[in-house]
Amino acid sequence: MNIENKLAAMTIDEKVGQLVQLAPFFYVKDIQQQIFGHVRDLGISEERIYRTGSVLGIGSAKEMIEVQKTYLEQSTAKIPLLFMADIIHGYETIFPVPLALASSFNPDLAFKVARISAIEASTAGIHVTFSPMADIARDPRWGRVVESFGEDPYLNYVFAYNMTEGYQNDGIEKDGNLVSCVKHVAAYGKSEAGRDYNTVDLSRLSLLNDHLDGYKGSIDAGARMAMTSFNTVDYVPATVNKDLLDGVLRGILGFDGVTISDYDSLNQVIAHGVAQDSKEAAKLGLEAGLDIEMASTCYIKHVKSLIEQGKLDMKRLDEAVLRVLKLKDQVGLFENPYKGANEELEKACVGSKAHMDQALTVALECPVLLKNRQGVLPIKGKRIALIGSHAKTKDTNGPWSWRGKAAINTALDRALKQEGMDVVSAEDRWEERSDLANCDVIVLAIGEHSDESGEAHSKAGIGLKHEDVLWYQYAKSFEKPLVVIIYAGRPLVIEEILAADAIMWAWFLGSKGNEALAKLIKGEVSPSGKLPMSMPRHQGQIPIYYNHLKTGRPKKGANDQNPFVSFYLDVENEPRFPFGFGLSYASFTYENLTLSKRLMDPSDRLVISVDVRNESPVAGMETVQLYLQDEYARIARPVKQLKRFQKIRFAGHETKTITFSITLADLTYRDASGRSIYDTGTFRVMVGSNARDCLVETFELEEGRNT
Ligand code: GLC
């Protein structure tokens, strides 16, 4: 297909139409899609509907074929629709929410989740997924931390890279693959006070050094689309921010795909007070480099007249339309407008047992064991009293679980019984229950429900519910070993229940979540998850993250008596549980941290090794983490930054030497222009099982010997 010729043959109305995205019910009236009211009232004429370029959300191969067929019959330019949807952590087979997936510290699982999601969703004729969400998340009050890969730039980079690789796989033109649309550009996770859609204000250097790596990971993996965020960046809404879209996204990150607004976010530039009306919003959007407008009508109503009045350059329109046509050509739509849609395959693979088995495999590596006093877990050969608000929960899919049906999930009590465990379960707090009282161990299941996190679901308070604390006090009244399982879409403040003997963070693990928990509780598998976000001890600490700057008055440890340092009168500075923290049924010790050299030339490779020993007879997996600190530079640098990690399996009493290698690229940071720069001097190398507990060595980066 000669795209340039196609463009040249299009009328201006047909060109503008390619930049418009609507919901499927505009084409087939009885399609029941959860589309918000204002989209229905967009006031778009029948004629214009048959000139749009893409569709948001479709529910089956049958629907897609019907919409595409109806569209092509009516449209003049005969350019097939592109079908897009939010496949975030599964299509019908639901995997752990992205924050839980990040807890696995196993990027191969991210690839697997994206692969299976793409295989299932593409059979419905979906071509694009609005994933990965790669916003750095440092504020657990923000509902969308559940969709993120947490607080660390490197972890975000690695997981976003593998998600995009998994979606796009061996080519977006192939059946079974999806176009990956990375989002939300940029820094949406810095919404002030953790309140969704709130103001974002950050320095240029923070944008470039703390918030871009996730998007970069997806772009480096070849993402063909990027979605703009609702928020402002440098006081300009991202959706019309030319410096962000042209300068940072396309310039610094090298993105060359199609940009799309978030839902109605072009129209919302008016609410931001940066456009007087939708006409001005349309002009700002195209001039900033926004290609597709999702779920609003600024472009369709005004671009033609702006160009005819000489207020907008036709070049801007042609550039955007050319990118959209190229993407449709790369997907193969001109050869096959029904690409991917396959009702037989849909029936055979969507939600299949093989996929569900994979969902279990992934879920097993995501829960985080925060405490396990005297090996209360795993529970073997004991009678369990399972109580709490979540004792029989099936609500494990979490937000954005698309076609996942919680009703088919296995409840926790049933999952434990399926593992052959002796369980008495109760959801009601009964004063005297002899059958509970004569159990050996209490398992208390509490926490959030799926609808307490996700988009537009932020919380000012992130403590445990009063009901959960009452459950805990009831459980303690039995004076038995007590295991607490906490379901959540975010870190929570859990000070009231810290005296429990064991605490397992269960996130929302997807379709097979409770089966995974049961296998971990039984000890068939040892927990291996690590926290992708710091767990506060008090919500007054928020935002709290490990890779913070030193400040001029750092508190030097808990015993620092200097009153004039950065600290609170009432709470320690440190989180309750640090980034990267997670226990196993095995126990690991670290020694012999060794560097291949103490003086590093910019052209050198530095090899770092450490011995890790499993002190227990129990097999387990450990994620060995490598952090670096640039002690002295032209700008203040974080006290430490994750630069590598390896998740390693250990047999009982096994010792392994783990090695990492780093180069100059791992020591650089971006200056205000986005250029990567470095500083000579001392670097600290920290290797350990989390951001707090590390062995430390140092090396000197010298001026280049060959410069
Ligand atoms: C929503 C979300 C975005 C999603 C889009 C389409 O408002 O912000 O993440 O992809 O709209 O559903």
Side-chain angles (χ1 to χ4, degrees):
M1 166 68 61
N2 183 316
I3 297 301
E4 284 73 10
N5 290 347
K6 187 82 186 169
L7 179 71
M10 292 168 72
T11 66
I12 192 165
D13 284 319
E14 288 166 343
K15 289 179 183 178
V16 173
Q18 286 303 305
L19 307 186
V20 178
Q21 177 169 103
L22 295 178
F25 65 75
F26 279 94
Y27 306 97
V28 179
K29 299 303 173 208
D30 65 354
I31 283 186
Q32 292 313 313
Q33 287 288 317
Q34 193 236 348
I35 300 290
F36 301 112
H38 78 267
V39 178
R40 293 184 182 283
D41 310 331
L42 287 176
I44 295 184
S45 68
E46 190 84 358
E47 183 198 6
R48 283 175 163 173
I49 286 173
Y50 291 105
R51 278 202 295 261
T52 55
S54 58
V55 166
L56 165 59
I58 196 79
S60 69
K62 183 172 181 298
E63 273 185 11
M64 183 272 195
I65 292 165
E66 198 174 349
V67 167
Q68 189 74 286
K69 183 168 173 294
T70 307
Y71 174 85
L72 289 172
E73 283 165 356
Q74 304 286 335
S75 95
T76 54
K78 307 293 180 197
I79 297 171
L81 291 165
L82 196 58
F83 288 77
M84 309 189 188
D86 293 279
I87 316 299
I88 307 300
H89 55 109
Y91 176 69
E92 183 157 314
T93 303
I94 303 302
F95 295 91
V97 292
L99 193 58
L101 185 59
S103 304
S104 73
F105 274 70
N106 183 346
D108 295 342
L109 299 185
F111 181 88
K112 183 196 294 265
V113 167
R115 274 312 311 124
I116 294 173
S117 303
I119 288 165
E120 291 196 357
S122 58
T123 64
I126 293 169
H127 306 126
V128 178
T129 178
F130 298 131
S131 173
M133 187 269 220
D135 303 316
I136 297 294
R138 293 173 162 175
D139 190 328
R141 295 171 294 182
W142 189 46
R144 304 198 75 165
V145 299
V146 68
E147 303 169 55
S148 80
F149 298 122
E151 71 191 43
D152 179 74
Y154 178 70
L155 190 65
N156 267 270
Y157 179 94
V158 171
F159 272 74
Y161 185 97
N162 281 274
M163 290 295 281
T164 294
E165 281 255 290
Y167 288 130
Q168 301 192 160
N169 200 31
D170 55 352
I172 56 176
E173 74 285 357
K174 301 240 174 81
D175 285 356
N177 298 341
L178 292 178
V179 171
S180 173
C181 176
V182 65
K183 68 186 183 186
H184 306 80
V185 179
Y188 179 19
K190 214 164 182 307
S191 298
E192 264 178 16
R195 197 174 75 226
D196 205 2
Y197 312 132
N198 200 8
T199 299
V200 165
D201 186 17
L202 75 168
S203 69
R204 170 115 183 136
L205 287 179
S206 178
L207 171 69
L208 299 183
N209 287 295
D210 302 335
H211 290 269
L212 291 189
D213 290 58
Y215 314 127
K216 182 172 180 4
S218 182
I219 291 165
D220 286 355
R224 302 308 308 135
M225 285 189 70
M227 183 186 294
T228 63
S229 55
F230 292 119
N231 55 281
T232 52
V233 174
D234 286 335
Y235 288 74
V236 176
T239 302
V240 296
N241 190 321
K242 184 171 177 57
D243 173 54
L244 178 67
L245 301 185
D246 264 359
V248 177
L249 180 62
R250 295 188 189 280
I252 295 172
L253 296 183
F255 176 70
D256 64 357
V258 171
T259 55
I260 184 169
S261 75
D262 201 340
Y263 199 102
D264 190 48
S265 67
L266 182 60
N267 184 46
Q268 287 162 19
V269 175
I270 302 167
H272 276 289
V274 177
Q276 274 195 321
D277 51 31
S278 54
K279 185 166 192 165
E280 186 177 8
K283 175 177 165 59
L284 291 173
L286 265 182
E287 287 177 343
L290 175 73
D291 298 331
I292 297 176
E293 175 183 9
M294 182 196 294
S296 57
T297 54
C298 305
Y299 280 1
I300 204 165
K301 284 179 179 165
H302 301 295
V303 167
K304 181 178 180 181
S305 58
L306 281 165
I307 289 174
E308 286 167 348
Q309 293 158 16
K311 294 176 180 169
L312 184 62
D313 188 336
M314 172 71 94
K315 256 180 48 189
R316 277 284 175 263
L317 175 61
D318 285 346
E319 283 166 1
V321 177
L322 203 56
R323 285 191 284 260
V324 174
L325 294 179
K326 275 184 180 163
L327 180 60
K328 291 186 172 184
D329 189 36
Q330 288 162 354
V331 168
L333 278 189
F334 292 110
E335 286 73 37
N336 175 13
Y338 306 96
K339 190 245 181 185
N342 183 322
E343 292 185 73
E344 290 67 47
L345 201 51
E346 191 176 34
K347 286 194 188 75
C349 85
V350 172
S352 67
K353 182 182 182 313
H355 289 174
M356 288 293 182
D357 289 348
Q358 292 297 330
L360 174 58
T361 303
V362 174
L364 284 168
E365 290 199 38
C366 299
V368 183
L369 182 59
L370 297 175
K371 185 178 179 184
N372 190 23
R373 183 161 55 201
Q374 291 160 354
V376 166
L377 283 174
I379 299 172
K380 293 180 182 289
K382 293 205 171 87
R383 171 161 253 213
I384 296 171
L386 173 64
I387 60 176
S389 53
H390 290 56
K392 299 183 175 178
T393 186
K394 294 185 173 184
D395 177 23
T396 54
N397 288 351
W400 289 113
S401 52
W402 194 247
R403 291 170 44 121
K405 304 176 188 70
I408 67 167
N409 297 346
T410 304
L412 180 59
D413 63 337
R414 185 165 171 67
L416 288 166
K417 290 170 184 167
Q418 281 175 345
E419 289 298 325
M421 302 178 87
D422 180 3
V423 181
V424 174
S425 62
E427 277 174 318
D428 310 311
R429 263 191 311 282
W430 296 337
E431 291 319 309
E432 280 308 319
R433 270 281 303 263
S434 60
D435 55 348
L436 289 181
N438 65 20
C439 287
D440 305 312
V441 58
I442 309 284
V443 174
L444 172 63
I446 54 174
E448 293 188 320
H449 296 286
S450 285
D451 61 2
E452 296 185 61
S453 60
E455 183 178 358
H457 285 71
S458 297
K459 286 183 173 179
I462 58 161
L464 291 172
K465 294 186 186 74
H466 181 58
E467 175 209 9
D468 286 343
V469 177
L470 291 179
W471 266 115
Y472 171 76
Q473 290 161 354
Y474 173 64
K476 285 294 272 182
S477 71
F478 288 90
E479 294 182 347
K480 304 259 185 191
L482 173 56
V483 174
V484 180
I485 308 289
I486 299 180
Y487 294 79
R490 55 165 57 87
L492 297 172
V493 173
I494 59 169
E495 298 299 290
E496 299 99 326
I497 63 105
L498 282 180
D501 297 294
I503 303 169
M504 176 97 77
W505 213 259
W507 303 117
F508 291 106
L509 296 168
S511 303
K512 290 296 181 184
N514 284 329
E515 286 90 334
L517 285 171
K519 290 179 181 299
L520 292 166
I521 291 168
K522 178 186 173 188
E524 183 179 310
V525 184
S526 172
S528 62
K530 299 278 189 176
L531 290 176
M533 284 183 77
S534 306
M535 190 84 76
R537 60 181 74 216
H538 189 295
Q539 67 188 40
Q541 292 179 295
I542 295 170
I544 183 167
Y545 48 95
Y546 84 90
N547 39 2
H548 56 78
L549 302 183
K550 288 193 272 193
T551 79
R553 292 191 173 200
K555 183 172 174 63
K556 297 187 175 73
N559 303 322
D560 182 348
Q561 298 305 311
N562 179 348
F564 300 104
V565 293
S566 180
F567 82 116
Y568 301 105
L569 288 174
D570 54 347
V571 174
E572 283 181 47
N573 290 358
E574 298 312 309
R576 172 55 63 197
F577 299 103
F579 173 85
F581 182 85
L583 302 175
S584 164
Y585 295 151
S587 62
F588 300 101
T589 53
Y590 287 65
E591 56 187 16
N592 302 331
L593 175 59
T594 310
L595 309 186
S596 58
K597 55 184 68 177
R598 292 289 175 179
L599 289 179
M600 181 179 173
D601 176 279
S603 61
D604 279 345
R605 175 175 295 278
L606 180 71
V607 177
I608 298 155
S609 65
V610 67
D611 294 338
V612 181
R613 181 167 54 251
N614 178 2
E615 302 289 359
S616 86
V618 175
M621 288 192 278
E622 169 67 340
T623 298
V624 182
Q625 299 154 48
L626 164 65
Y627 298 87
L628 293 181
Q629 178 190 14
D630 182 351
E631 279 208 343
Y632 167 66
R634 274 163 279 186
I635 61 170
R637 306 289 296 126
V639 294
K640 63 184 69 163
Q641 294 174 285
L642 182 70
K643 292 293 181 181
R644 297 283 189 283
F645 59 86
Q646 291 182 39
K647 187 167 191 176
I648 310 289
R649 193 175 299 279
F650 287 81
H653 295 304
E654 184 176 18
T655 298
K656 289 185 177 176
T657 298
I658 312 299
T659 58
F660 300 97
S661 75
I662 60 169
T663 65
L664 181 66
D666 297 299
L667 311 181
T668 63
Y669 56 95
R670 293 189 184 95
D671 67 11
S673 73
R675 195 166 50 95
S676 288
I677 58 175
Y678 67 90
D679 301 283
T680 56
T682 307
F683 283 79
R684 283 156 55 92
V685 176
M686 294 154 274
V687 177
S689 59
N690 62 72
R692 178 190 65 202
D693 308 319
C694 290
L695 300 177
V696 184
E697 289 293 345
T698 60
F699 68 89
E700 297 297 316
L701 176 64
E702 295 180 304
E703 264 317 328
R705 282 192 290 273
N706 50 13
T707 48

Short mmCIF file of all heavy atoms in Angstrom, two decimals, residues 383-387 391-392 413 416-417 421-426 430 433-439 441 443:
data_model
loop_
_atom_site.label_atom_id
_atom_site.label_comp_id
_atom_site.label_asym_id
_atom_site.label_seq_id
_atom_site.Cartn_x
_atom_site.Cartn_y
_atom_site.Cartn_z
N ARG A 383 -5.04 -27.77 61.91
CA ARG A 383 -6.42 -27.36 61.63
C ARG A 383 -6.47 -25.84 61.61
O ARG A 383 -5.99 -25.19 62.54
CB ARG A 383 -7.34 -27.93 62.70
CG ARG A 383 -8.77 -27.40 62.66
CD ARG A 383 -9.73 -28.32 63.40
NE ARG A 383 -10.56 -29.04 62.43
CZ ARG A 383 -11.83 -29.36 62.70
NH1 ARG A 383 -12.32 -29.13 63.89
NH2 ARG A 383 -12.55 -29.97 61.79
N ILE A 384 -7.00 -25.29 60.53
CA ILE A 384 -7.02 -23.84 60.31
C ILE A 384 -8.41 -23.28 60.60
O ILE A 384 -9.41 -23.81 60.12
CB ILE A 384 -6.66 -23.51 58.85
CG1 ILE A 384 -5.23 -23.93 58.53
CG2 ILE A 384 -6.85 -22.03 58.54
CD1 ILE A 384 -4.87 -23.83 57.06
N ALA A 385 -8.44 -22.18 61.36
CA ALA A 385 -9.68 -21.39 61.47
C ALA A 385 -9.50 -20.20 60.53
O ALA A 385 -8.65 -19.34 60.77
CB ALA A 385 -9.89 -20.90 62.89
N LEU A 386 -10.23 -20.21 59.43
CA LEU A 386 -10.12 -19.13 58.44
C LEU A 386 -11.25 -18.14 58.68
O LEU A 386 -12.42 -18.46 58.51
CB LEU A 386 -10.23 -19.70 57.03
CG LEU A 386 -10.31 -18.68 55.89
CD1 LEU A 386 -9.02 -17.87 55.82
CD2 LEU A 386 -10.59 -19.38 54.57
N ILE A 387 -10.87 -16.91 59.09
CA ILE A 387 -11.90 -15.91 59.38
C ILE A 387 -11.56 -14.59 58.69
O ILE A 387 -10.50 -14.45 58.09
CB ILE A 387 -12.02 -15.67 60.91
CG1 ILE A 387 -10.69 -15.18 61.49
CG2 ILE A 387 -12.47 -16.95 61.61
CD1 ILE A 387 -10.78 -14.84 62.97
N ALA A 391 -12.53 -14.13 53.96
CA ALA A 391 -12.33 -15.58 54.15
C ALA A 391 -12.86 -16.37 52.97
O ALA A 391 -12.30 -17.40 52.61
CB ALA A 391 -13.02 -16.02 55.43
N LYS A 392 -13.94 -15.87 52.36
CA LYS A 392 -14.53 -16.60 51.23
C LYS A 392 -14.53 -15.75 49.96
O LYS A 392 -15.33 -15.96 49.05
CB LYS A 392 -15.97 -17.03 51.58
CG LYS A 392 -16.00 -17.96 52.79
CD LYS A 392 -17.39 -18.45 53.12
CE LYS A 392 -17.33 -19.47 54.25
NZ LYS A 392 -18.66 -19.96 54.65
N ASP A 413 -11.41 -20.03 51.01
CA ASP A 413 -11.63 -21.21 51.86
C ASP A 413 -11.64 -22.48 51.01
O ASP A 413 -11.03 -23.49 51.35
CB ASP A 413 -12.90 -21.08 52.70
CG ASP A 413 -14.17 -20.98 51.86
OD1 ASP A 413 -14.07 -20.57 50.67
OD2 ASP A 413 -15.24 -21.30 52.36
N LEU A 416 -8.10 -23.49 49.87
CA LEU A 416 -7.33 -24.16 50.93
C LEU A 416 -7.79 -25.61 51.05
O LEU A 416 -6.98 -26.54 51.16
CB LEU A 416 -7.51 -23.43 52.25
CG LEU A 416 -6.80 -22.06 52.37
CD1 LEU A 416 -7.33 -21.29 53.57
CD2 LEU A 416 -5.29 -22.23 52.46
N LYS A 417 -9.12 -25.82 50.98
CA LYS A 417 -9.64 -27.20 51.10
C LYS A 417 -9.21 -28.03 49.90
O LYS A 417 -8.85 -29.21 50.05
CB LYS A 417 -11.17 -27.16 51.23
CG LYS A 417 -11.65 -26.61 52.58
CD LYS A 417 -13.14 -26.34 52.62
CE LYS A 417 -13.53 -25.70 53.96
NZ LYS A 417 -14.90 -25.14 53.93
N MET A 421 -6.26 -29.04 52.90
CA MET A 421 -6.03 -28.48 54.23
C MET A 421 -7.31 -28.55 55.05
O MET A 421 -8.42 -28.46 54.53
CB MET A 421 -5.52 -27.04 54.09
CG MET A 421 -4.22 -27.01 53.26
SD MET A 421 -3.60 -25.35 53.02
CE MET A 421 -2.63 -25.20 54.50
N ASP A 422 -7.13 -28.71 56.35
CA ASP A 422 -8.24 -28.88 57.30
C ASP A 422 -8.69 -27.48 57.73
O ASP A 422 -8.02 -26.83 58.52
CB ASP A 422 -7.75 -29.69 58.50
CG ASP A 422 -8.85 -29.90 59.53
OD1 ASP A 422 -10.00 -29.44 59.27
OD2 ASP A 422 -8.55 -30.47 60.59
N VAL A 423 -9.81 -27.01 57.17
CA VAL A 423 -10.20 -25.61 57.34
C VAL A 423 -11.61 -25.49 57.89
O VAL A 423 -12.54 -26.11 57.38
CB VAL A 423 -10.15 -24.87 55.98
CG1 VAL A 423 -10.53 -23.40 56.15
CG2 VAL A 423 -8.79 -25.01 55.34
N VAL A 424 -11.74 -24.69 58.92
CA VAL A 424 -13.07 -24.25 59.38
C VAL A 424 -13.13 -22.77 59.05
O VAL A 424 -12.24 -22.02 59.45
CB VAL A 424 -13.22 -24.43 60.90
CG1 VAL A 424 -14.55 -23.84 61.37
CG2 VAL A 424 -13.12 -25.90 61.27
N SER A 425 -14.13 -22.35 58.28
CA SER A 425 -14.11 -20.93 57.88
C SER A 425 -15.36 -20.22 58.35
O SER A 425 -16.41 -20.81 58.52
CB SER A 425 -13.99 -20.79 56.37
OG SER A 425 -15.12 -21.37 55.75
N ALA A 426 -15.21 -18.92 58.60
CA ALA A 426 -16.34 -18.12 59.08
C ALA A 426 -16.16 -16.69 58.61
O ALA A 426 -15.04 -16.17 58.60
CB ALA A 426 -16.38 -18.14 60.60
N TRP A 430 -18.07 -14.51 65.63
CA TRP A 430 -18.94 -15.17 66.61
C TRP A 430 -18.20 -15.18 67.93
O TRP A 430 -17.02 -15.51 67.98
CB TRP A 430 -19.24 -16.61 66.18
CG TRP A 430 -20.03 -16.65 64.88
CD1 TRP A 430 -20.79 -15.64 64.37
CD2 TRP A 430 -20.09 -17.71 63.94
NE1 TRP A 430 -21.32 -16.01 63.18
CE2 TRP A 430 -20.95 -17.28 62.89
CE3 TRP A 430 -19.54 -18.99 63.88
CZ2 TRP A 430 -21.24 -18.09 61.80
CZ3 TRP A 430 -19.85 -19.78 62.80
CH2 TRP A 430 -20.69 -19.33 61.77
N ARG A 433 -17.18 -19.86 69.37
CA ARG A 433 -17.34 -20.90 68.33
C ARG A 433 -16.38 -22.02 68.72
O ARG A 433 -15.18 -21.90 68.54
CB ARG A 433 -16.96 -20.34 66.97
CG ARG A 433 -18.05 -19.71 66.16
CD ARG A 433 -18.91 -20.75 65.47
NE ARG A 433 -18.16 -21.65 64.60
CZ ARG A 433 -18.05 -21.46 63.26
NH1 ARG A 433 -18.58 -20.38 62.72
NH2 ARG A 433 -17.42 -22.32 62.50
N SER A 434 -16.90 -23.06 69.29
CA SER A 434 -15.99 -24.11 69.77
C SER A 434 -15.16 -24.66 68.60
O SER A 434 -13.98 -24.92 68.75
CB SER A 434 -16.81 -25.24 70.41
OG SER A 434 -17.69 -25.77 69.40
N ASP A 435 -15.82 -24.76 67.41
CA ASP A 435 -15.04 -25.36 66.31
C ASP A 435 -13.90 -24.44 65.89
O ASP A 435 -12.88 -24.88 65.38
CB ASP A 435 -15.95 -25.71 65.13
CG ASP A 435 -16.74 -24.49 64.66
OD1 ASP A 435 -16.74 -23.47 65.41
OD2 ASP A 435 -17.30 -24.54 63.58
N LEU A 436 -14.05 -23.15 66.14
CA LEU A 436 -12.92 -22.26 65.84
C LEU A 436 -11.89 -22.35 66.95
O LEU A 436 -10.69 -22.44 66.72
CB LEU A 436 -13.39 -20.81 65.71
CG LEU A 436 -14.23 -20.43 64.49
CD1 LEU A 436 -14.57 -18.94 64.53
CD2 LEU A 436 -13.50 -20.75 63.21
N ALA A 437 -12.42 -22.37 68.18
CA ALA A 437 -11.51 -22.29 69.33
C ALA A 437 -10.56 -23.49 69.39
O ALA A 437 -9.44 -23.37 69.83
CB ALA A 437 -12.34 -22.20 70.61
N ASN A 438 -11.02 -24.65 68.83
CA ASN A 438 -10.09 -25.79 68.98
C ASN A 438 -9.24 -26.01 67.73
O ASN A 438 -8.75 -27.09 67.45
CB ASN A 438 -10.85 -27.07 69.35
CG ASN A 438 -11.79 -27.49 68.22
OD1 ASN A 438 -11.59 -27.07 67.08
ND2 ASN A 438 -12.80 -28.28 68.55
N CYS A 439 -9.10 -24.92 66.93
CA CYS A 439 -8.19 -25.02 65.78
C CYS A 439 -6.76 -24.75 66.24
O CYS A 439 -6.52 -24.21 67.31
CB CYS A 439 -8.59 -24.00 64.73
SG CYS A 439 -10.12 -24.49 63.90
N VAL A 441 -4.38 -23.01 64.27
CA VAL A 441 -3.84 -21.73 63.77
C VAL A 441 -4.99 -20.92 63.16
O VAL A 441 -5.91 -21.48 62.58
CB VAL A 441 -2.72 -21.98 62.73
CG1 VAL A 441 -3.23 -22.81 61.57
CG2 VAL A 441 -2.12 -20.68 62.23
N VAL A 443 -6.12 -18.12 60.45
CA VAL A 443 -5.76 -17.36 59.25
C VAL A 443 -6.82 -16.28 59.08
O VAL A 443 -8.00 -16.58 58.91
CB VAL A 443 -5.71 -18.26 58.00
CG1 VAL A 443 -5.49 -17.40 56.74
CG2 VAL A 443 -4.57 -19.27 58.14
#
